[in-house]
Amino acid sequence: VTGFTRLTRGYFGDVGGALSLIRASRGADAIYVASGEMPLLMLARKAGWVRAKVAKWAYAPSPRRVNPWSRRLTLAMPPWTGVDGLLCLTPITEQSCRQSNPRLLARFMDWAADLEMFQPCLPGEVSDYALSVGRNERDFGTLVAASAGLSAPVQLVAPASSLSGMELPSNVLRVGGPESPGDDRGLPYPELVQRMQRARCVVIALHHDPTTGNGYTNLLESLAVGRPVVSTRTGALAIDLEREGV
């Protein structure tokens, strides 16, 4: 399966995961796809080879057009193909999915954090560094440039590729794995949580897109460990912070 995935350059997404779900779905009433690209599973459902209903997450509004020549099958077919229901991360996503396919069952559902996950790593003293974590759509360029004028330390848990070509000021430190140019590994999750708990604040710097849910995971993690958050406005927030006085 891995060789087939490489041979097709990822066009069919997570082949192994899709085949595993198809095999395991015999006798099941529903399949919940929390993450990952599994177009083979969706096509199997559409063809009737999978009898269990399929529900998956939608993180952003549906594209108005699909690209049949895309290298990824998920971009070459409508996102609701073979899907019985969509759990939408933002109200904008729910509205877009319903407009694109009125017959599709699409519902906005808030995420939540399991606080028990964060209890084993209780914080010690709060340090004076600001922490920024993430990969998708992060605007580290603006954050690094702004940090150059500060005396406070800033820690970045980010792929090395996200900081390519940037000269980090003396008060900015990238942490997580060896400092080799091609290293894209992150920190072990317990260590990441500990760094969040000890940070003075967590900074979520994003390329502004009011329709996506980028940064939502970091936001929930930061609030779960009781850290203040400074964030670019994001479509993941379904509340008006100023109106609610947050």
Side-chain angles (χ1 to χ4, degrees):
V1 171
T2 303
F4 181 77
T5 301
R6 291 176 179 173
L7 181 64
T8 59
R9 298 183 179 181
Y11 181 77
F12 294 101
D14 185 358
V15 177
L19 293 179
S20 297
L21 279 175
I22 292 173
R23 286 195 298 266
S25 68
R26 296 174 182 173
D29 296 318
I31 300 174
Y32 169 54
V33 183
S35 61
E37 296 185 353
M38 300 186 185
L40 288 185
L41 171 64
M42 310 309 171
L43 291 176
R45 171 60 179 159
K46 183 176 179 61
W49 300 334
V50 172
R51 295 187 177 182
K53 294 183 177 181
V54 175
K56 72 172 187 176
W57 274 101
Y59 298 90
S62 303
R64 295 185 177 181
R65 295 180 180 179
V66 297
N67 179 10
W69 305 108
S70 173
R71 291 184 177 182
R72 292 165 55 190
L73 185 56
T74 50
L75 299 180
M77 64 185 194
W80 52 81
T81 300
V83 176
D84 297 277
L86 284 176
L87 304 176
C88 301
L89 182 58
T90 66
I92 296 176
T93 301
E94 177 188 346
Q95 181 181 5
S96 171
C97 291
R98 287 187 171 186
Q99 289 176 347
S100 301
N101 186 354
R103 294 180 298 176
L104 180 68
L105 179 61
R107 293 289 186 274
F108 162 64
M109 294 185 66
D110 278 312
W111 279 13
D114 183 356
L115 296 182
E116 292 185 2
M117 290 178 56
F118 303 93
Q119 294 309 310
C121 304
L122 295 177
E125 268 185 45
V126 174
S127 298
D128 60 349
Y129 63 84
L131 181 69
S132 186
V133 181
R135 176 187 300 267
N136 296 330
E137 294 299 323
R138 294 308 195 271
D139 187 3
F140 288 119
T142 298
L143 177 59
V144 168
S147 301
L150 302 176
S151 58
V154 177
Q155 293 187 8
L156 306 178
V157 182
S161 56
S162 298
L163 306 176
S164 177
M166 298 184 196
E167 183 176 348
L168 299 184
S170 59
N171 64 319
V172 178
L173 173 68
R174 176 186 174 261
V175 295
E179 298 300 308
S180 60
D183 175 36
D184 275 3
R185 290 178 293 174
L187 292 175
Y189 195 67
E191 183 179 346
L192 176 62
V193 172
Q194 287 179 344
R195 286 185 180 272
M196 280 189 172
Q197 290 171 323
R198 296 191 175 102
R200 173 160 294 185
C201 68
V202 176
V203 181
I204 306 175
L206 304 168
H207 295 293
H208 178 58
D209 186 342
T211 66
T212 69
N214 292 318
Y216 204 3
T217 302
N218 289 153
L219 175 63
L220 289 178
E221 291 168 334
S222 304
L223 296 178
V225 298
R227 294 293 86 208
V229 177
V230 180
S231 175
T232 309
R233 186 177 296 277
T234 168
L237 292 177
I239 62 174
D240 186 323
L241 297 180
E242 288 80 8
R243 185 181 64 189
E244 298 296 336
V246 176

